[in-house]
Structures are given as C-alpha cells and as structure tokens.
PDB file of all heavy atoms in Angstrom:
ATOM      1  N   LEU A   1      39.660  77.827  71.419  1.00 98.00           N
ATOM      2  CA  LEU A   1      39.970  76.532  71.400  1.00 98.00           C
ATOM      3  C   LEU A   1      41.214  76.228  70.468  1.00 98.00           C
ATOM      4  O   LEU A   1      41.200  76.908  69.448  1.00 98.00           O
ATOM      5  CB  LEU A   1      38.831  75.744  71.080  1.00 98.00           C
ATOM      6  CG  LEU A   1      37.562  75.835  71.973  1.00 98.00           C
ATOM      7  CD1 LEU A   1      36.461  74.973  71.386  1.00 98.00           C
ATOM      8  CD2 LEU A   1      37.850  75.165  73.376  1.00 98.00           C
ATOM      9  N   PRO A   2      42.005  75.292  70.808  1.00 98.00           N
ATOM     10  CA  PRO A   2      43.161  75.179  69.905  1.00 98.00           C
ATOM     11  C   PRO A   2      42.909  74.933  68.485  1.00 98.00           C
ATOM     12  O   PRO A   2      43.405  75.299  67.480  1.00 98.00           O
ATOM     13  CB  PRO A   2      43.745  73.802  70.550  1.00 98.00           C
ATOM     14  CG  PRO A   2      43.516  73.904  71.935  1.00 98.00           C
ATOM     15  CD  PRO A   2      42.061  74.461  71.982  1.00 98.00           C
ATOM     16  N   ARG A   3      41.695  74.185  68.137  1.00 98.00           N
ATOM     17  CA  ARG A   3      41.337  73.956  66.740  1.00 98.00           C
ATOM     18  C   ARG A   3      40.743  75.267  66.047  1.00 98.00           C
ATOM     19  O   ARG A   3      40.700  75.191  64.785  1.00 98.00           O
ATOM     20  CB  ARG A   3      40.288  72.839  66.672  1.00 98.00           C
ATOM     21  CG  ARG A   3      38.948  73.143  67.498  1.00 98.00           C
ATOM     22  CD  ARG A   3      37.933  72.077  67.446  1.00 98.00           C
ATOM     23  NE  ARG A   3      36.800  72.280  68.317  1.00 98.00           N
ATOM     24  CZ  ARG A   3      35.787  72.987  68.127  1.00 98.00           C
ATOM     25  NH1 ARG A   3      35.693  73.765  66.998  1.00 98.00           N
ATOM     26  NH2 ARG A   3      34.779  73.093  68.976  1.00 98.00           N
ATOM     27  N   GLN A   4      40.613  76.212  66.777  1.00 98.00           N
ATOM     28  CA  GLN A   4      39.954  77.523  66.334  1.00 98.00           C
ATOM     29  C   GLN A   4      41.107  78.394  65.921  1.00 98.00           C
ATOM     30  O   GLN A   4      40.905  79.611  65.339  1.00 98.00           O
ATOM     31  CB  GLN A   4      38.951  78.252  67.103  1.00 98.00           C
ATOM     32  CG  GLN A   4      37.717  77.325  67.168  1.00 98.00           C
ATOM     33  CD  GLN A   4      36.732  77.784  68.305  1.00 98.00           C
ATOM     34  OE1 GLN A   4      37.206  78.295  69.348  1.00 98.00           O
ATOM     35  NE2 GLN A   4      35.427  77.639  68.049  1.00 98.00           N
ATOM     36  N   LEU A   5      42.311  78.137  66.296  1.00 98.00           N
ATOM     37  CA  LEU A   5      43.447  79.095  66.095  1.00 98.00           C
ATOM     38  C   LEU A   5      43.932  78.976  64.595  1.00 98.00           C
ATOM     39  O   LEU A   5      43.869  77.843  64.059  1.00 98.00           O
ATOM     40  CB  LEU A   5      44.612  78.894  67.058  1.00 98.00           C
ATOM     41  CG  LEU A   5      44.409  79.090  68.532  1.00 98.00           C
ATOM     42  CD1 LEU A   5      45.445  78.413  69.361  1.00 98.00           C
ATOM     43  CD2 LEU A   5      44.486  80.650  68.641  1.00 98.00           C
ATOM     44  N   ALA A   6      44.222  80.092  64.017  1.00 98.00           N
ATOM     45  CA  ALA A   6      44.725  80.166  62.655  1.00 98.00           C
ATOM     46  C   ALA A   6      45.979  80.946  62.469  1.00 98.00           C
ATOM     47  O   ALA A   6      45.850  82.141  62.885  1.00 98.00           O
ATOM     48  CB  ALA A   6      43.639  80.536  61.686  1.00 98.00           C
ATOM     49  N   PHE A   7      47.093  80.318  62.096  1.00 98.00           N
ATOM     50  CA  PHE A   7      48.394  81.104  61.826  1.00 98.00           C
ATOM     51  C   PHE A   7      48.775  81.020  60.467  1.00 98.00           C
ATOM     52  O   PHE A   7      49.788  81.573  60.126  1.00 98.00           O
ATOM     53  CB  PHE A   7      49.403  80.574  62.823  1.00 98.00           C
ATOM     54  CG  PHE A   7      49.075  80.854  64.319  1.00 98.00           C
ATOM     55  CD1 PHE A   7      48.548  79.768  65.053  1.00 98.00           C
ATOM     56  CD2 PHE A   7      49.191  82.014  64.903  1.00 98.00           C
ATOM     57  CE1 PHE A   7      48.254  79.892  66.301  1.00 98.00           C
ATOM     58  CE2 PHE A   7      48.820  82.219  66.243  1.00 98.00           C
ATOM     59  CZ  PHE A   7      48.464  81.127  67.021  1.00 98.00           C
ATOM     60  N   PHE A   8      48.042  80.525  59.541  1.00 98.00           N
ATOM     61  CA  PHE A   8      48.265  80.574  58.138  1.00 98.00           C
ATOM     62  C   PHE A   8      49.722  80.182  57.785  1.00 98.00           C
ATOM     63  O   PHE A   8      50.303  80.902  56.811  1.00 98.00           O
ATOM     64  CB  PHE A   8      47.855  81.852  57.528  1.00 98.00           C
ATOM     65  CG  PHE A   8      46.457  82.266  58.101  1.00 98.00           C
ATOM     66  CD1 PHE A   8      46.248  83.326  58.969  1.00 98.00           C
ATOM     67  CD2 PHE A   8      45.379  81.613  57.502  1.00 98.00           C
ATOM     68  CE1 PHE A   8      44.974  83.571  59.400  1.00 98.00           C
ATOM     69  CE2 PHE A   8      44.004  82.065  57.954  1.00 98.00           C
ATOM     70  CZ  PHE A   8      43.870  83.013  58.907  1.00 98.00           C
ATOM     71  N   GLY A   9      50.233  79.146  58.433  1.00 97.00           N
ATOM     72  CA  GLY A   9      51.602  78.726  58.151  1.00 97.00           C
ATOM     73  C   GLY A   9      52.775  79.439  58.817  1.00 97.00           C
ATOM     74  O   GLY A   9      53.902  79.109  58.642  1.00 97.00           O
ATOM     75  N   SER A  10      52.418  80.365  59.788  1.00 98.00           N
ATOM     76  CA  SER A  10      53.416  81.035  60.524  1.00 98.00           C
ATOM     77  C   SER A  10      53.736  80.356  61.856  1.00 98.00           C
ATOM     78  O   SER A  10      53.106  80.509  62.824  1.00 98.00           O
ATOM     79  CB  SER A  10      52.997  82.536  60.757  1.00 98.00           C
ATOM     80  OG  SER A  10      54.017  83.251  61.500  1.00 98.00           O
ATOM     81  N   ASP A  11      54.843  79.731  61.862  1.00 98.00           N
ATOM     82  CA  ASP A  11      55.446  79.111  63.142  1.00 98.00           C
ATOM     83  C   ASP A  11      55.789  80.250  64.085  1.00 98.00           C
ATOM     84  O   ASP A  11      55.559  80.081  65.357  1.00 98.00           O
ATOM     85  CB  ASP A  11      56.520  78.142  62.994  1.00 98.00           C
ATOM     86  CG  ASP A  11      56.113  76.958  62.101  1.00 98.00           C
ATOM     87  OD1 ASP A  11      54.919  76.598  62.100  1.00 98.00           O
ATOM     88  OD2 ASP A  11      57.032  76.290  61.514  1.00 98.00           O
ATOM     89  N   ASP A  12      56.304  81.191  63.505  1.00 97.00           N
ATOM     90  CA  ASP A  12      56.756  82.336  64.464  1.00 97.00           C
ATOM     91  C   ASP A  12      55.606  82.986  65.264  1.00 97.00           C
ATOM     92  O   ASP A  12      55.726  83.267  66.474  1.00 97.00           O
ATOM     93  CB  ASP A  12      57.518  83.486  63.574  1.00 97.00           C
ATOM     94  CG  ASP A  12      58.888  83.208  63.431  1.00 97.00           C
ATOM     95  OD1 ASP A  12      59.504  82.422  64.072  1.00 97.00           O
ATOM     96  OD2 ASP A  12      59.502  83.843  62.639  1.00 97.00           O
ATOM     97  N   TYR A  13      54.529  83.233  64.567  1.00 98.00           N
ATOM     98  CA  TYR A  13      53.269  83.881  65.150  1.00 98.00           C
ATOM     99  C   TYR A  13      52.667  82.902  66.218  1.00 98.00           C
ATOM    100  O   TYR A  13      52.129  83.245  67.118  1.00 98.00           O
ATOM    101  CB  TYR A  13      52.339  84.365  64.120  1.00 98.00           C
ATOM    102  CG  TYR A  13      52.605  86.019  63.891  1.00 98.00           C
ATOM    103  CD1 TYR A  13      53.960  86.492  63.858  1.00 98.00           C
ATOM    104  CD2 TYR A  13      51.477  86.709  63.726  1.00 98.00           C
ATOM    105  CE1 TYR A  13      54.113  87.783  63.663  1.00 98.00           C
ATOM    106  CE2 TYR A  13      51.725  88.101  63.525  1.00 98.00           C
ATOM    107  CZ  TYR A  13      52.988  88.661  63.443  1.00 98.00           C
ATOM    108  OH  TYR A  13      53.068  89.939  63.260  1.00 98.00           O
ATOM    109  N   GLN A  14      52.695  81.550  65.845  1.00 98.00           N
ATOM    110  CA  GLN A  14      52.104  80.563  66.727  1.00 98.00           C
ATOM    111  C   GLN A  14      52.920  80.566  67.997  1.00 98.00           C
ATOM    112  O   GLN A  14      52.358  80.477  69.044  1.00 98.00           O
ATOM    113  CB  GLN A  14      52.048  79.180  66.039  1.00 98.00           C
ATOM    114  CG  GLN A  14      51.422  78.130  66.843  1.00 98.00           C
ATOM    115  CD  GLN A  14      51.401  76.826  66.193  1.00 98.00           C
ATOM    116  OE1 GLN A  14      51.938  76.600  65.129  1.00 98.00           O
ATOM    117  NE2 GLN A  14      50.619  75.926  66.719  1.00 98.00           N
ATOM    118  N   GLN A  15      54.209  80.656  67.897  1.00 98.00           N
ATOM    119  CA  GLN A  15      55.138  80.635  69.099  1.00 98.00           C
ATOM    120  C   GLN A  15      54.863  81.790  69.887  1.00 98.00           C
ATOM    121  O   GLN A  15      54.907  81.917  71.145  1.00 98.00           O
ATOM    122  CB  GLN A  15      56.489  80.427  68.741  1.00 98.00           C
ATOM    123  CG  GLN A  15      57.474  80.325  69.936  1.00 98.00           C
ATOM    124  CD  GLN A  15      57.086  79.078  70.719  1.00 98.00           C
ATOM    125  OE1 GLN A  15      57.001  78.085  70.291  1.00 98.00           O
ATOM    126  NE2 GLN A  15      57.027  79.355  72.138  1.00 98.00           N
ATOM    127  N   GLY A  16      54.781  83.097  69.154  1.00 98.00           N
ATOM    128  CA  GLY A  16      54.491  84.254  69.816  1.00 98.00           C
ATOM    129  C   GLY A  16      53.270  84.279  70.614  1.00 98.00           C
ATOM    130  O   GLY A  16      53.248  84.847  71.742  1.00 98.00           O
ATOM    131  N   TYR A  17      52.205  83.632  70.175  1.00 98.00           N
ATOM    132  CA  TYR A  17      50.855  83.545  70.796  1.00 98.00           C
ATOM    133  C   TYR A  17      51.132  82.653  72.115  1.00 98.00           C
ATOM    134  O   TYR A  17      50.711  83.003  73.162  1.00 98.00           O
ATOM    135  CB  TYR A  17      49.966  82.861  69.885  1.00 98.00           C
ATOM    136  CG  TYR A  17      48.595  82.435  70.571  1.00 98.00           C
ATOM    137  CD1 TYR A  17      47.651  83.264  71.097  1.00 98.00           C
ATOM    138  CD2 TYR A  17      48.449  80.983  70.826  1.00 98.00           C
ATOM    139  CE1 TYR A  17      46.548  82.818  71.676  1.00 98.00           C
ATOM    140  CE2 TYR A  17      47.282  80.542  71.363  1.00 98.00           C
ATOM    141  CZ  TYR A  17      46.332  81.431  71.927  1.00 98.00           C
ATOM    142  OH  TYR A  17      45.276  81.108  72.473  1.00 98.00           O
ATOM    143  N   LEU A  18      51.809  81.526  72.023  1.00 98.00           N
ATOM    144  CA  LEU A  18      52.142  80.679  73.224  1.00 98.00           C
ATOM    145  C   LEU A  18      52.844  81.423  74.277  1.00 98.00           C
ATOM    146  O   LEU A  18      52.615  81.416  75.459  1.00 98.00           O
ATOM    147  CB  LEU A  18      52.729  79.381  72.841  1.00 98.00           C
ATOM    148  CG  LEU A  18      52.083  78.474  71.832  1.00 98.00           C
ATOM    149  CD1 LEU A  18      52.875  77.305  71.462  1.00 98.00           C
ATOM    150  CD2 LEU A  18      50.761  78.020  72.468  1.00 98.00           C
ATOM    151  N   ASP A  19      53.772  82.297  73.906  1.00 97.00           N
ATOM    152  CA  ASP A  19      54.613  83.021  74.753  1.00 97.00           C
ATOM    153  C   ASP A  19      53.794  84.043  75.420  1.00 97.00           C
ATOM    154  O   ASP A  19      54.012  84.486  76.512  1.00 97.00           O
ATOM    155  CB  ASP A  19      55.858  83.630  74.050  1.00 97.00           C
ATOM    156  CG  ASP A  19      56.862  82.669  73.634  1.00 97.00           C
ATOM    157  OD1 ASP A  19      56.883  81.537  74.180  1.00 97.00           O
ATOM    158  OD2 ASP A  19      57.715  82.976  72.748  1.00 97.00           O
ATOM    159  N   ALA A  20      52.749  84.666  74.630  1.00 98.00           N
ATOM    160  CA  ALA A  20      51.827  85.729  75.080  1.00 98.00           C
ATOM    161  C   ALA A  20      50.988  85.198  76.240  1.00 98.00           C
ATOM    162  O   ALA A  20      50.751  85.797  77.277  1.00 98.00           O
ATOM    163  CB  ALA A  20      50.971  86.253  74.094  1.00 98.00           C
ATOM    164  N   ILE A  21      50.639  83.894  76.145  1.00 97.00           N
ATOM    165  CA  ILE A  21      49.790  83.296  77.167  1.00 97.00           C
ATOM    166  C   ILE A  21      50.586  83.305  78.460  1.00 97.00           C
ATOM    167  O   ILE A  21      50.207  83.582  79.639  1.00 97.00           O
ATOM    168  CB  ILE A  21      49.334  81.864  76.742  1.00 97.00           C
ATOM    169  CG1 ILE A  21      48.349  82.014  75.731  1.00 97.00           C
ATOM    170  CG2 ILE A  21      48.841  81.130  78.038  1.00 97.00           C
ATOM    171  CD1 ILE A  21      47.787  80.702  75.117  1.00 97.00           C
ATOM    172  N   LYS A  22      51.922  82.853  78.332  1.00 96.00           N
ATOM    173  CA  LYS A  22      52.739  82.872  79.555  1.00 96.00           C
ATOM    174  C   LYS A  22      52.901  84.168  80.156  1.00 96.00           C
ATOM    175  O   LYS A  22      52.910  84.344  81.342  1.00 96.00           O
ATOM    176  CB  LYS A  22      54.133  82.237  79.088  1.00 96.00           C
ATOM    177  CG  LYS A  22      54.150  80.877  78.819  1.00 96.00           C
ATOM    178  CD  LYS A  22      55.488  80.284  78.262  1.00 96.00           C
ATOM    179  CE  LYS A  22      55.451  78.856  77.932  1.00 96.00           C
ATOM    180  NZ  LYS A  22      56.739  78.433  77.359  1.00 96.00           N
ATOM    181  N   GLN A  23      53.085  85.218  79.329  1.00 95.00           N
ATOM    182  CA  GLN A  23      53.179  86.610  79.776  1.00 95.00           C
ATOM    183  C   GLN A  23      51.956  87.003  80.673  1.00 95.00           C
ATOM    184  O   GLN A  23      52.032  87.598  81.674  1.00 95.00           O
ATOM    185  CB  GLN A  23      53.410  87.628  78.662  1.00 95.00           C
ATOM    186  CG  GLN A  23      54.745  87.504  78.064  1.00 95.00           C
ATOM    187  CD  GLN A  23      55.141  88.653  77.221  1.00 95.00           C
ATOM    188  OE1 GLN A  23      54.872  89.799  77.611  1.00 95.00           O
ATOM    189  NE2 GLN A  23      55.781  88.444  75.940  1.00 95.00           N
ATOM    190  N   LEU A  24      50.770  86.646  80.130  1.00 96.00           N
ATOM    191  CA  LEU A  24      49.485  87.123  80.785  1.00 96.00           C
ATOM    192  C   LEU A  24      49.441  86.227  82.060  1.00 96.00           C
ATOM    193  O   LEU A  24      48.969  86.744  83.112  1.00 96.00           O
ATOM    194  CB  LEU A  24      48.417  86.777  80.012  1.00 96.00           C
ATOM    195  CG  LEU A  24      48.034  87.805  78.960  1.00 96.00           C
ATOM    196  CD1 LEU A  24      47.013  87.349  77.895  1.00 96.00           C
ATOM    197  CD2 LEU A  24      47.323  89.005  79.640  1.00 96.00           C
ATOM    198  N   GLU A  25      49.894  85.027  82.081  1.00 94.00           N
ATOM    199  CA  GLU A  25      49.925  84.278  83.343  1.00 94.00           C
ATOM    200  C   GLU A  25      50.847  84.859  84.375  1.00 94.00           C
ATOM    201  O   GLU A  25      50.562  84.847  85.550  1.00 94.00           O
ATOM    202  CB  GLU A  25      50.171  82.807  82.969  1.00 94.00           C
ATOM    203  CG  GLU A  25      49.098  81.980  82.290  1.00 94.00           C
ATOM    204  CD  GLU A  25      49.490  80.653  81.856  1.00 94.00           C
ATOM    205  OE1 GLU A  25      50.691  80.413  81.715  1.00 94.00           O
ATOM    206  OE2 GLU A  25      48.554  79.886  81.581  1.00 94.00           O
ATOM    207  N   ALA A  26      52.038  85.298  83.862  1.00 90.00           N
ATOM    208  CA  ALA A  26      52.952  85.862  84.736  1.00 90.00           C
ATOM    209  C   ALA A  26      52.550  87.135  85.455  1.00 90.00           C
ATOM    210  O   ALA A  26      53.147  87.339  86.505  1.00 90.00           O
ATOM    211  CB  ALA A  26      54.260  86.140  83.914  1.00 90.00           C
ATOM    212  N   ILE A  27      51.537  87.943  84.857  1.00 88.00           N
ATOM    213  CA  ILE A  27      51.110  89.074  85.548  1.00 88.00           C
ATOM    214  C   ILE A  27      49.727  88.856  86.286  1.00 88.00           C
ATOM    215  O   ILE A  27      49.102  89.801  86.688  1.00 88.00           O
ATOM    216  CB  ILE A  27      50.935  90.231  84.595  1.00 88.00           C
ATOM    217  CG1 ILE A  27      49.908  89.926  83.463  1.00 88.00           C
ATOM    218  CG2 ILE A  27      52.300  90.546  83.941  1.00 88.00           C
ATOM    219  CD1 ILE A  27      49.486  91.179  82.755  1.00 88.00           C
ATOM    220  N   GLY A  28      49.462  87.629  86.575  1.00 90.00           N
ATOM    221  CA  GLY A  28      48.261  87.310  87.363  1.00 90.00           C
ATOM    222  C   GLY A  28      47.082  86.616  86.665  1.00 90.00           C
ATOM    223  O   GLY A  28      45.960  86.425  87.301  1.00 90.00           O
ATOM    224  N   GLY A  29      47.271  86.403  85.307  1.00 95.00           N
ATOM    225  CA  GLY A  29      46.148  85.876  84.604  1.00 95.00           C
ATOM    226  C   GLY A  29      45.989  84.326  84.563  1.00 95.00           C
ATOM    227  O   GLY A  29      46.992  83.594  84.836  1.00 95.00           O
ATOM    228  N   SER A  30      44.826  83.863  84.614  1.00 96.00           N
ATOM    229  CA  SER A  30      44.558  82.433  84.526  1.00 96.00           C
ATOM    230  C   SER A  30      43.723  82.233  83.142  1.00 96.00           C
ATOM    231  O   SER A  30      42.755  82.644  82.862  1.00 96.00           O
ATOM    232  CB  SER A  30      43.642  81.906  85.675  1.00 96.00           C
ATOM    233  OG  SER A  30      44.238  82.055  86.829  1.00 96.00           O
ATOM    234  N   LYS A  31      44.325  81.170  82.293  1.00 98.00           N
ATOM    235  CA  LYS A  31      43.848  80.978  80.996  1.00 98.00           C
ATOM    236  C   LYS A  31      42.591  80.089  81.028  1.00 98.00           C
ATOM    237  O   LYS A  31      42.534  79.105  81.921  1.00 98.00           O
ATOM    238  CB  LYS A  31      44.839  80.312  80.180  1.00 98.00           C
ATOM    239  CG  LYS A  31      44.361  80.048  78.690  1.00 98.00           C
ATOM    240  CD  LYS A  31      45.457  79.157  78.013  1.00 98.00           C
ATOM    241  CE  LYS A  31      45.542  77.786  78.465  1.00 98.00           C
ATOM    242  NZ  LYS A  31      46.452  76.937  77.633  1.00 98.00           N
ATOM    243  N   VAL A  32      41.561  80.513  80.181  1.00 98.00           N
ATOM    244  CA  VAL A  32      40.354  79.690  80.112  1.00 98.00           C
ATOM    245  C   VAL A  32      40.136  79.598  78.628  1.00 98.00           C
ATOM    246  O   VAL A  32      40.001  80.509  77.846  1.00 98.00           O
ATOM    247  CB  VAL A  32      39.182  80.406  80.662  1.00 98.00           C
ATOM    248  CG1 VAL A  32      37.825  79.530  80.569  1.00 98.00           C
ATOM    249  CG2 VAL A  32      39.436  80.667  82.172  1.00 98.00           C
ATOM    250  N   GLU A  33      40.130  78.299  78.148  1.00 98.00           N
ATOM    251  CA  GLU A  33      39.682  78.049  76.773  1.00 98.00           C
ATOM    252  C   GLU A  33      38.244  78.066  76.513  1.00 98.00           C
ATOM    253  O   GLU A  33      37.460  77.383  77.195  1.00 98.00           O
ATOM    254  CB  GLU A  33      40.326  76.721  76.285  1.00 98.00           C
ATOM    255  CG  GLU A  33      41.837  76.747  76.159  1.00 98.00           C
ATOM    256  CD  GLU A  33      42.447  75.384  75.683  1.00 98.00           C
ATOM    257  OE1 GLU A  33      41.737  74.440  75.483  1.00 98.00           O
ATOM    258  OE2 GLU A  33      43.748  75.384  75.481  1.00 98.00           O
ATOM    259  N   VAL A  34      37.797  78.818  75.655  1.00 98.00           N
ATOM    260  CA  VAL A  34      36.427  79.026  75.267  1.00 98.00           C
ATOM    261  C   VAL A  34      36.121  78.714  73.761  1.00 98.00           C
ATOM    262  O   VAL A  34      36.998  78.951  72.860  1.00 98.00           O
ATOM    263  CB  VAL A  34      35.766  80.284  75.684  1.00 98.00           C
ATOM    264  CG1 VAL A  34      36.045  80.410  77.188  1.00 98.00           C
ATOM    265  CG2 VAL A  34      36.395  81.464  75.039  1.00 98.00           C
ATOM    266  N   ASP A  35      34.925  78.359  73.413  1.00 98.00           N
ATOM    267  CA  ASP A  35      34.512  78.235  72.031  1.00 98.00           C
ATOM    268  C   ASP A  35      34.348  79.544  71.321  1.00 98.00           C
ATOM    269  O   ASP A  35      33.417  80.365  71.716  1.00 98.00           O
ATOM    270  CB  ASP A  35      33.305  77.479  72.054  1.00 98.00           C
ATOM    271  CG  ASP A  35      32.799  77.021  70.623  1.00 98.00           C
ATOM    272  OD1 ASP A  35      33.467  77.508  69.647  1.00 98.00           O
ATOM    273  OD2 ASP A  35      31.834  76.211  70.357  1.00 98.00           O
ATOM    274  N   PHE A  36      35.207  80.041  70.410  1.00 97.00           N
ATOM    275  CA  PHE A  36      35.065  81.206  69.780  1.00 97.00           C
ATOM    276  C   PHE A  36      34.132  81.271  68.648  1.00 97.00           C
ATOM    277  O   PHE A  36      34.008  82.216  67.812  1.00 97.00           O
ATOM    278  CB  PHE A  36      36.542  81.677  69.372  1.00 97.00           C
ATOM    279  CG  PHE A  36      37.191  82.614  70.204  1.00 97.00           C
ATOM    280  CD1 PHE A  36      37.355  82.426  71.497  1.00 97.00           C
ATOM    281  CD2 PHE A  36      37.856  83.760  69.635  1.00 97.00           C
ATOM    282  CE1 PHE A  36      38.045  83.329  72.321  1.00 97.00           C
ATOM    283  CE2 PHE A  36      38.510  84.648  70.410  1.00 97.00           C
ATOM    284  CZ  PHE A  36      38.619  84.416  71.698  1.00 97.00           C
ATOM    285  N   ALA A  37      33.408  80.238  68.392  1.00 98.00           N
ATOM    286  CA  ALA A  37      32.539  79.975  67.252  1.00 98.00           C
ATOM    287  C   ALA A  37      31.544  81.257  66.977  1.00 98.00           C
ATOM    288  O   ALA A  37      31.470  81.753  65.933  1.00 98.00           O
ATOM    289  CB  ALA A  37      31.729  78.681  67.353  1.00 98.00           C
ATOM    290  N   PRO A  38      30.874  81.813  68.128  1.00 98.00           N
ATOM    291  CA  PRO A  38      29.965  82.854  67.846  1.00 98.00           C
ATOM    292  C   PRO A  38      30.679  84.161  67.313  1.00 98.00           C
ATOM    293  O   PRO A  38      30.239  84.852  66.469  1.00 98.00           O
ATOM    294  CB  PRO A  38      29.469  83.225  69.265  1.00 98.00           C
ATOM    295  CG  PRO A  38      29.553  81.877  69.979  1.00 98.00           C
ATOM    296  CD  PRO A  38      30.831  81.305  69.489  1.00 98.00           C
ATOM    297  N   LEU A  39      32.065  84.298  67.767  1.00 98.00           N
ATOM    298  CA  LEU A  39      32.702  85.450  67.243  1.00 98.00           C
ATOM    299  C   LEU A  39      33.286  85.293  65.827  1.00 98.00           C
ATOM    300  O   LEU A  39      33.084  86.162  65.030  1.00 98.00           O
ATOM    301  CB  LEU A  39      34.023  85.663  68.282  1.00 98.00           C
ATOM    302  CG  LEU A  39      33.858  86.180  69.642  1.00 98.00           C
ATOM    303  CD1 LEU A  39      32.975  85.216  70.591  1.00 98.00           C
ATOM    304  CD2 LEU A  39      35.099  86.609  70.300  1.00 98.00           C
ATOM    305  N   LEU A  40      33.720  84.056  65.610  1.00 97.00           N
ATOM    306  CA  LEU A  40      34.196  83.821  64.162  1.00 97.00           C
ATOM    307  C   LEU A  40      32.980  83.820  63.165  1.00 97.00           C
ATOM    308  O   LEU A  40      33.241  84.198  62.092  1.00 97.00           O
ATOM    309  CB  LEU A  40      34.895  82.514  64.232  1.00 97.00           C
ATOM    310  CG  LEU A  40      36.189  82.351  65.081  1.00 97.00           C
ATOM    311  CD1 LEU A  40      36.723  81.024  65.033  1.00 97.00           C
ATOM    312  CD2 LEU A  40      37.208  83.371  64.661  1.00 97.00           C
ATOM    313  N   ASP A  41      31.964  83.371  63.598  1.00 97.00           N
ATOM    314  CA  ASP A  41      30.773  83.378  62.707  1.00 97.00           C
ATOM    315  C   ASP A  41      30.337  84.813  62.518  1.00 97.00           C
ATOM    316  O   ASP A  41      29.828  85.160  61.414  1.00 97.00           O
ATOM    317  CB  ASP A  41      29.582  82.549  63.414  1.00 97.00           C
ATOM    318  CG  ASP A  41      29.772  81.100  63.353  1.00 97.00           C
ATOM    319  OD1 ASP A  41      30.709  80.714  62.585  1.00 97.00           O
ATOM    320  OD2 ASP A  41      29.126  80.363  63.940  1.00 97.00           O
ATOM    321  N   ALA A  42      30.368  85.644  63.561  1.00 97.00           N
ATOM    322  CA  ALA A  42      29.957  87.117  63.429  1.00 97.00           C
ATOM    323  C   ALA A  42      30.951  87.735  62.402  1.00 97.00           C
ATOM    324  O   ALA A  42      30.544  88.641  61.630  1.00 97.00           O
ATOM    325  CB  ALA A  42      30.059  87.804  64.660  1.00 97.00           C
TER     326      ALA A  42
END
C-alpha cells in the first residue's frame, strides 16, 4: 500500500519504483495493492 512504502528521503528510488511498476505492466503484469503489514511485522 502507498502508506507502507519507505524511501527514507530518496526521490530517485521512489521514481525508480514507479518506473518499475510500469515495466512489469509492460511485460504483461497487472498491479494489485495489498496490505504488507504481516510481512513488515515479521
């Protein structure tokens, strides 16, 4: 989920992540936002 993303002040890495989503979509992927809380808690 957007509120769970952390880039620690790096605009470059945030933009890289957004571009990566587009790359995955370009090769056939469909994005699904999910609650990462169980992973982050682990």
Side-chain angles (χ1 to χ4, degrees):
L1 297 174
R3 60 180 169 79
Q4 295 171 324
L5 292 166
F7 296 100
F8 310 106
S10 176
D11 293 338
D12 274 348
Y13 264 39
Q14 184 172 13
Q15 185 59 51
Y17 167 73
L18 295 175
D19 291 342
I21 290 175
K22 293 177 182 178
Q23 288 194 46
L24 278 164
E25 291 174 335
I27 64 167
S30 296
K31 182 185 74 172
V32 180
E33 292 183 352
V34 301
D35 185 356
F36 260 49
L39 287 68
L40 299 175
D41 287 345

